[in-house]
Amino acid sequence: MLTRWDALLELMERVVGGAGDRDAEIGVGRLRELIDRMDAETCWP
């Protein structure tokens, strides 16, 4: 199965946001920041 990071993170944000788990929300936010930073540093053809 293939998906984009963005789509996966959006799903994760909805799930943890609905559950009210603040620690999980922070973790998903940090993961999004890491992936965004990695994408910005990667040179795609």
PDB file of all heavy atoms in Angstrom, residues 14-27:
ATOM      1  N   ARG A  14      -6.255  13.565  13.156  1.00  0.00           N
ATOM      2  CA  ARG A  14      -7.689  13.449  13.427  1.00  0.00           C
ATOM      3  C   ARG A  14      -7.960  12.435  14.532  1.00  0.00           C
ATOM      4  O   ARG A  14      -8.770  12.681  15.430  1.00  0.00           O
ATOM      5  CB  ARG A  14      -8.448  13.060  12.166  1.00  0.00           C
ATOM      6  CG  ARG A  14      -8.666  14.204  11.208  1.00  0.00           C
ATOM      7  CD  ARG A  14      -9.707  13.864  10.155  1.00  0.00           C
ATOM      8  NE  ARG A  14      -9.433  12.629   9.442  1.00  0.00           N
ATOM      9  CZ  ARG A  14      -8.821  12.552   8.271  1.00  0.00           C
ATOM     10  NH1 ARG A  14      -8.433  13.651   7.660  1.00  0.00           N
ATOM     11  NH2 ARG A  14      -8.620  11.384   7.683  1.00  0.00           N
ATOM     12  N   VAL A  15      -7.270  11.304  14.470  1.00  0.00           N
ATOM     13  CA  VAL A  15      -7.506  10.241  15.451  1.00  0.00           C
ATOM     14  C   VAL A  15      -7.081  10.689  16.848  1.00  0.00           C
ATOM     15  O   VAL A  15      -7.854  10.561  17.805  1.00  0.00           O
ATOM     16  CB  VAL A  15      -6.772   8.942  15.041  1.00  0.00           C
ATOM     17  CG1 VAL A  15      -6.797   7.925  16.163  1.00  0.00           C
ATOM     18  CG2 VAL A  15      -7.394   8.352  13.785  1.00  0.00           C
ATOM     19  N   VAL A  16      -5.871  11.195  16.984  1.00  0.00           N
ATOM     20  CA  VAL A  16      -5.417  11.581  18.325  1.00  0.00           C
ATOM     21  C   VAL A  16      -6.127  12.840  18.817  1.00  0.00           C
ATOM     22  O   VAL A  16      -6.352  12.994  20.008  1.00  0.00           O
ATOM     23  CB  VAL A  16      -3.879  11.744  18.412  1.00  0.00           C
ATOM     24  CG1 VAL A  16      -3.176  10.444  18.090  1.00  0.00           C
ATOM     25  CG2 VAL A  16      -3.362  12.855  17.545  1.00  0.00           C
ATOM     26  N   GLY A  17      -6.511  13.718  17.898  1.00  0.00           N
ATOM     27  CA  GLY A  17      -7.268  14.901  18.298  1.00  0.00           C
ATOM     28  C   GLY A  17      -8.633  14.529  18.851  1.00  0.00           C
ATOM     29  O   GLY A  17      -9.091  15.087  19.844  1.00  0.00           O
ATOM     30  N   GLY A  18      -9.276  13.568  18.221  1.00  0.00           N
ATOM     31  CA  GLY A  18     -10.581  13.099  18.687  1.00  0.00           C
ATOM     32  C   GLY A  18     -10.508  12.342  19.992  1.00  0.00           C
ATOM     33  O   GLY A  18     -11.459  12.332  20.774  1.00  0.00           O
ATOM     34  N   ALA A  19      -9.361  11.729  20.249  1.00  0.00           N
ATOM     35  CA  ALA A  19      -9.192  10.958  21.477  1.00  0.00           C
ATOM     36  C   ALA A  19      -8.828  11.853  22.661  1.00  0.00           C
ATOM     37  O   ALA A  19      -8.922  11.426  23.805  1.00  0.00           O
ATOM     38  CB  ALA A  19      -8.108   9.898  21.279  1.00  0.00           C
ATOM     39  N   GLY A  20      -8.398  13.077  22.373  1.00  0.00           N
ATOM     40  CA  GLY A  20      -8.036  13.996  23.447  1.00  0.00           C
ATOM     41  C   GLY A  20      -6.721  13.653  24.123  1.00  0.00           C
ATOM     42  O   GLY A  20      -6.495  14.041  25.259  1.00  0.00           O
ATOM     43  N   ASP A  21      -5.862  12.932  23.410  1.00  0.00           N
ATOM     44  CA  ASP A  21      -4.558  12.535  23.969  1.00  0.00           C
ATOM     45  C   ASP A  21      -3.523  13.601  23.615  1.00  0.00           C
ATOM     46  O   ASP A  21      -2.957  13.602  22.522  1.00  0.00           O
ATOM     47  CB  ASP A  21      -4.157  11.167  23.410  1.00  0.00           C
ATOM     48  CG  ASP A  21      -2.890  10.624  24.024  1.00  0.00           C
ATOM     49  OD1 ASP A  21      -2.104  11.401  24.607  1.00  0.00           O
ATOM     50  OD2 ASP A  21      -2.680   9.392  23.918  1.00  0.00           O
ATOM     51  N   ARG A  22      -3.279  14.505  24.536  1.00  0.00           N
ATOM     52  CA  ARG A  22      -2.389  15.645  24.270  1.00  0.00           C
ATOM     53  C   ARG A  22      -0.966  15.197  23.964  1.00  0.00           C
ATOM     54  O   ARG A  22      -0.313  15.763  23.094  1.00  0.00           O
ATOM     55  CB  ARG A  22      -2.412  16.601  25.479  1.00  0.00           C
ATOM     56  CG  ARG A  22      -1.619  17.857  25.269  1.00  0.00           C
ATOM     57  CD  ARG A  22      -2.274  18.729  24.202  1.00  0.00           C
ATOM     58  NE  ARG A  22      -1.466  19.920  24.028  1.00  0.00           N
ATOM     59  CZ  ARG A  22      -1.132  20.424  22.863  1.00  0.00           C
ATOM     60  NH1 ARG A  22      -1.582  19.879  21.760  1.00  0.00           N
ATOM     61  NH2 ARG A  22      -0.379  21.481  22.773  1.00  0.00           N
ATOM     62  N   ASP A  23      -0.470  14.191  24.663  1.00  0.00           N
ATOM     63  CA  ASP A  23       0.884  13.695  24.397  1.00  0.00           C
ATOM     64  C   ASP A  23       1.001  13.139  22.978  1.00  0.00           C
ATOM     65  O   ASP A  23       1.997  13.367  22.291  1.00  0.00           O
ATOM     66  CB  ASP A  23       1.296  12.622  25.407  1.00  0.00           C
ATOM     67  CG  ASP A  23       1.528  13.180  26.803  1.00  0.00           C
ATOM     68  OD1 ASP A  23       1.856  14.384  26.918  1.00  0.00           O
ATOM     69  OD2 ASP A  23       1.382  12.414  27.772  1.00  0.00           O
ATOM     70  N   ALA A  24      -0.019  12.420  22.532  1.00  0.00           N
ATOM     71  CA  ALA A  24      -0.010  11.885  21.173  1.00  0.00           C
ATOM     72  C   ALA A  24      -0.088  13.008  20.151  1.00  0.00           C
ATOM     73  O   ALA A  24       0.567  12.951  19.108  1.00  0.00           O
ATOM     74  CB  ALA A  24      -1.158  10.896  20.979  1.00  0.00           C
ATOM     75  N   GLU A  25      -0.880  14.036  20.435  1.00  0.00           N
ATOM     76  CA  GLU A  25      -0.965  15.188  19.534  1.00  0.00           C
ATOM     77  C   GLU A  25       0.399  15.857  19.382  1.00  0.00           C
ATOM     78  O   GLU A  25       0.801  16.209  18.271  1.00  0.00           O
ATOM     79  CB  GLU A  25      -1.965  16.215  20.061  1.00  0.00           C
ATOM     80  CG  GLU A  25      -3.411  15.778  19.972  1.00  0.00           C
ATOM     81  CD  GLU A  25      -4.353  16.817  20.535  1.00  0.00           C
ATOM     82  OE1 GLU A  25      -4.130  18.023  20.313  1.00  0.00           O
ATOM     83  OE2 GLU A  25      -5.331  16.427  21.199  1.00  0.00           O
ATOM     84  N   ILE A  26       1.107  16.006  20.487  1.00  0.00           N
ATOM     85  CA  ILE A  26       2.440  16.607  20.443  1.00  0.00           C
ATOM     86  C   ILE A  26       3.383  15.726  19.636  1.00  0.00           C
ATOM     87  O   ILE A  26       4.161  16.217  18.808  1.00  0.00           O
ATOM     88  CB  ILE A  26       2.973  16.829  21.872  1.00  0.00           C
ATOM     89  CG1 ILE A  26       2.164  17.926  22.558  1.00  0.00           C
ATOM     90  CG2 ILE A  26       4.460  17.170  21.861  1.00  0.00           C
ATOM     91  CD1 ILE A  26       2.400  18.045  24.056  1.00  0.00           C
ATOM     92  N   GLY A  27       3.311  14.422  19.835  1.00  0.00           N
ATOM     93  CA  GLY A  27       4.169  13.491  19.102  1.00  0.00           C
ATOM     94  C   GLY A  27       3.921  13.532  17.602  1.00  0.00           C
ATOM     95  O   GLY A  27       4.868  13.549  16.807  1.00  0.00           O
TER      96      GLY A  27
END
